[in-house]
Amino acid sequence: QILLVEDASFFRQLVKGYLEADGYEVITAENGKAGLERMNETQFDLIVSDIEMPVMDGWDFVKSVRRGTQQNNLPTVALTALDSDRDRAKAKRCGYDRYEVKIDRECFLTTVATLLESERN
């Protein structure tokens, strides 16, 4: 089960469709605060999160996940339009495991499968 945190409804539906077409169950949230609420309700195997969002951005969301939840060791993917070395370094510092730029479907789905497989092993 994957938590998808994305504020833009277009990308939320697009990415959810990609994941569901590959057989994953997806629960969505519109921002980091809503994502944390979903994590209190459901156990997940992976988190995919945008970075630039209102209410709580992806930076603060993943920092909150890493320091506070029972699911703090979940693999996380930043899926963002930001594409600088500085943003990649910040994502790593904040706690993301992988960083994908919106949206190369095949590369993204390979990243998801790889993280879930390594989590199982």
Side-chain angles (χ1 to χ4, degrees), residues 42-90:
T42 307
Q43 291 291 320
F44 293 97
D45 301 300
L46 177 85
I47 297 169
V48 176
S49 177
D50 187 17
I51 291 178
E52 297 179 301
M53 298 179 286
V55 183
M56 177 187 277
D57 65 25
W59 308 122
D60 290 336
F61 168 67
V62 81
K63 285 191 272 187
S64 294
V65 168
R66 293 298 184 221
R67 72 172 174 255
T69 69
Q70 292 179 354
Q71 301 180 69
N72 63 4
N73 61 345
L74 283 179
T76 55
V77 179
L79 184 62
T80 179
L82 302 174
D83 191 19
S84 73
D85 290 340
R86 186 170 158 242
D87 292 321
R88 290 174 187 277
K90 183 175 180 179

